[in-house]
Amino acid sequence: MFHAALFTLYPEMFPGPLGASLSGDALRRQLWALETINIREYGLGKHRAVDDAPAGGGPGMVLRADVVAASLDAGLRPDDARPRLLMSPRGKPLTQTRVRELSAGPGVAIVCGRFEGVDERLIETRGLEEVSIGDYVLSGGEIAAMVLLDACVRLIPGVMGKLESGSDESFESGLLEYPQYTRPRAFEGREIPAVLLSGDHTKIAKWRNDEALRLTRGRRPDLLTERGLK
Ligand code: ADE
């Protein structure tokens, strides 16, 4: 079973939105599991300190390597095969390809960063893979971890129905998704494109592919160059 271990200073944030909808149903059906480890429990002294001023000066606070390492060493067995991730805006951007790989594995151990960062020696000694969910800065890694988990969990066999099973959607084909329509046939003067009501499935497939290409060319031309589609 896909098992997520979250190392965080805010365990109360979980499962949060992952407890609702598709991922929440799957959690209750035990198609995946989520465990939180409170880094604060490994904090030092009376105040359970987890962070300190950056060496060399500068603003903010840095998560201590010894404290986070103690939480990881207590929360993970030495033979744990799960990838160890650190959510960070500095990380390698998350892709659907990486999501598919993670989803097919035993789960993930995720360190949720806070403050100005974590001591580099934690990343080095515990082999953390830094992962970013986009080029913007969140106030912490928890919401980023939820994004990653949501993307992984929906691909676990049995989580989505066969019908919605997602091979047609944006990024799985390498293209953005074509436009969708449903009833009513006319909405505020706009008709559903006639081809979609024609019953000609060859024509419909061509229309959808053309539209997917048109949208991708306009919005994400980088996806086409990646795939050699000019
Ligand atoms: N923590 C803060 N910003 C982040 C981002 N963009 N991706 C992953 N983790 C983060």
Side-chain angles (χ1 to χ4, degrees):
M1 198 212 320
F2 184 95
H3 193 299
L6 278 304
F7 295 81
T8 172
L9 288 165
Y10 300 95
E12 68 276 14
M13 284 194 183
F14 295 92
L18 297 175
S21 191
L22 198 74
S23 53
D25 290 339
L27 198 52
R28 284 180 286 278
R29 286 158 59 210
Q30 295 180 45
L31 293 175
W32 69 293
L34 183 154
E35 168 196 14
T36 56
I37 296 91
N38 190 347
I39 296 170
R40 179 73 59 188
E41 286 178 17
Y42 301 87
L44 304 174
K46 198 172 64 184
H47 299 293
R48 299 227 170 262
V50 297
D51 59 348
D52 210 327
M61 297 288 266
V62 176
L63 277 177
R64 291 178 59 120
D66 51 356
V67 171
V68 184
S71 74
L72 281 169
D73 297 347
L76 301 175
R77 302 166 65 102
D79 63 344
D80 197 305
R82 289 175 289 180
R84 300 168 170 205
L85 314 180
L86 170 66
M87 304 315 296
S88 159
R90 210 178 78 163
K92 192 165 161 187
L94 184 65
T95 62
Q96 190 65 18
T97 300
R98 186 69 183 123
V99 165
R100 238 181 275 119
E101 287 168 5
L102 292 173
S103 174
V108 283
I110 307 181
V111 177
C112 300
R114 282 267 150 188
F115 313 107
E116 300 310 303
V118 307
D119 190 300
E120 191 69 21
R121 295 166 295 178
L122 175 78
I123 301 169
E124 292 166 3
T125 59
R126 295 305 184 274
L128 301 184
E129 170 188 340
E130 292 180 81
V131 178
S132 166
I133 64 158
D135 290 341
Y136 39 80
V137 181
L138 306 170
S139 50
E142 285 79 7
I143 292 175
M146 290 177 200
V147 168
L148 181 146
L149 288 174
D150 182 89
C152 289
V153 165
R154 61 191 287 284
L155 299 182
I156 294 170
V159 171
M160 276 197 292
K162 269 222 169 59
L163 286 176
E164 61 234 280
S165 69
S167 54
D168 231 23
E169 63 200 344
S170 291
F171 299 109
E172 290 293 354
S173 68
L175 297 177
L176 301 185
E177 203 186 357
Y178 49 78
Q180 298 277 20
Y181 299 86
T182 187
R183 279 186 279 268
R185 189 172 172 148
F187 170 67
E188 298 185 353
R190 292 160 186 262
E191 296 274 338
I192 294 175
V195 58
L196 297 179
L197 306 172
S198 69
D200 183 335
H201 293 290
T202 310
K203 264 197 188 149
I204 291 171
K206 177 171 185 322
W207 182 87
R208 285 180 166 165
N209 189 252
D210 290 349
E211 285 294 300
L213 265 170
R214 180 182 64 79
L215 287 174
T216 310
R217 199 170 285 129
R219 297 177 184 178
R220 295 292 308 278
D222 57 300
L223 294 178
L224 296 178
T225 21
E226 263 169 41
R227 293 210 317 157
L229 279 171
K230 85 169 190 277

